[in-house]
Amino acid sequence: MTHKAPPSPCRIGIDLGGSKIAGVALGAAGVVLAARRMAAPQHDYAATVRAIAAMVGALEQSAGQPGSVGIGMPGSIAPGGGGVQNANSTWLNGKPFADDLQRSLAKPVRLANDANCFALSEAVDGAGAGAHSLFGVILGTGCGGGLVFEGKLIDGPRGTGGEWGHNPLPWAEASEHPGPPCWCGRRGCLEKWVSGPALESDHLAQTGVALPAPAIAANAAAGDAEARASLARHASRLARGLAHVVNIFDPDLVVLGGGLSQLDHLYRQLPPLMAPYILARDTRVIVKPPRWGDASGVRGAAWLWP
Ligand SMILES: [Zn+2]
């Protein structure tokens, strides 16, 4: 009788973004067996489903084995058989995305919000590996969040666990009322204060100069006082937003992702800026950069299956 080792588990993760689709096949211990990338079909739901199915097939072929399939997406699936909700790739909204993907792939598929996938990836084997609890935040064109507790995503009956970008800026100053209008129909949402475009539009409003976020950071590093002031306002707002979540969830650490997570000053400045707003006697909060960066989207999607 021969004893064969069991086939190594293969987990496929797909990250559906606004402009691109990325995919990865992870083997045992998270080793990358195959990776793919393509432009995302625009304004075409059926083509989006077909593109994801084709990418899964290609990844399985490259990996030499079938895999479980997890997908990170903008917005989320409304529980109870609802379609997609809150996706900024608006052609997905209301569509039975999970059903259509499962039919197309002929296997079960798990879907989660892209910020939740980021948080899960960093909790499994990233910046928060071994931590009891983690709040993962994406600061990119928008502002998403995901909560992980004991290795599992917290996503409640509405499918919006960890979403904080459309809560208001807490402890707002008079000059911050009522805040900029948001696409969600409210004013003063955190997303309109702490995302990349928010930093840029605040800098423009205060200085009359339109600059992308990396240029604002570069100017600040070169000693430009106005750029420094813009970063300081942004860090203060982000600190207040994070402190609000820490007081509710009390995570072991906060991990930042998205384009603005590359701003080094945030890791030095956020903990002391948060401290005055932390309810606990111990006001120290650990804020870390991501281990996996952009790859956290695909890795977290793959980790949606145990
Ligand atoms: Zn909003």
Side-chain angles (χ1 to χ4, degrees):
M1 185 176 163
T2 56
H3 291 275
K4 273 190 169 170
S8 57
C10 177
R11 296 179 180 86
I12 290 174
I14 302 288
D15 181 12
L16 173 62
S19 59
K20 58 111 184 67
I21 303 174
V24 72
L26 297 185
V31 174
V32 175
L33 303 175
R36 301 243 162 185
R37 212 176 167 81
M38 64 174 286
Q42 299 295 301
H43 306 285
D44 189 338
Y45 173 71
T48 303
V49 173
R50 280 198 304 273
I52 290 172
M55 184 175 279
V56 169
L59 287 165
E60 289 183 329
Q61 194 163 29
S62 299
Q65 57 188 308
S68 57
V69 179
I71 295 172
M73 56 181 286
S76 60
I77 302 289
V84 174
Q85 59 183 357
N86 305 328
N88 52 8
S89 300
T90 49
W91 54 96
L92 300 178
N93 283 327
K95 292 290 199 297
F97 196 37
D99 291 346
D100 287 339
L101 285 166
Q102 289 180 147
R103 193 173 309 121
S104 181
L105 287 163
K107 67 169 97 184
V109 170
R110 290 188 177 173
L111 295 107
N113 170 260
D114 43 19
N116 281 7
C117 291
F118 166 77
L120 184 60
S121 168
E122 293 298 333
V124 169
D125 62 356
H132 186 64
S133 58
L134 170 155
F135 181 45
V137 173
I138 292 189
L139 302 169
T141 52
C143 166
L147 301 168
V148 179
F149 182 72
E150 295 184 339
K152 292 206 173 80
L153 280 169
I154 298 180
D155 210 15
R158 294 160 201 84
T160 52
E163 283 310 318
W164 73 315
H166 299 275
N167 286 354
L169 174 69
W171 300 288
E173 295 164 9
S175 63
E176 294 167 331
H177 270 300
C182 183
W183 62 264
C184 75
R186 301 171 185 89
R187 293 189 76 106
C189 293
L190 269 169
E191 183 166 296
K192 304 306 287 184
W193 291 114
V194 305
S195 64
L199 168 60
E200 292 162 5
S201 61
D202 179 63
H203 185 74
L204 174 61
Q206 296 295 325
T207 66
V209 181
L211 283 178
I216 297 171
N219 288 0
D224 180 274
E226 288 183 329
R228 286 189 165 202
S230 294
L231 290 190
R233 287 190 302 277
H234 174 264
S236 162
R237 291 161 180 160
L238 180 54
R240 282 176 273 161
L242 291 174
H244 203 214
V245 177
V246 169
N247 285 340
I248 295 167
F249 182 53
D250 197 11
D252 284 4
L253 79 160
V254 175
V255 183
L256 304 184
L260 295 193
S261 70
Q262 292 170 21
L263 302 181
D264 290 339
H265 70 277
L266 292 176
Y267 305 100
R268 291 190 310 276
Q269 293 182 6
L270 285 173
L273 286 170
M274 290 165 74
Y277 302 100
I278 301 295
L279 180 66
R281 185 186 296 254
D282 181 353
T283 59
R284 294 170 297 177
V285 179
I286 298 168
V287 183
K288 284 192 177 181
R291 173 179 176 190
W292 296 110
D294 284 348
S296 253
V298 285
R299 296 185 66 89
W303 292 123
L304 290 172
W305 289 92

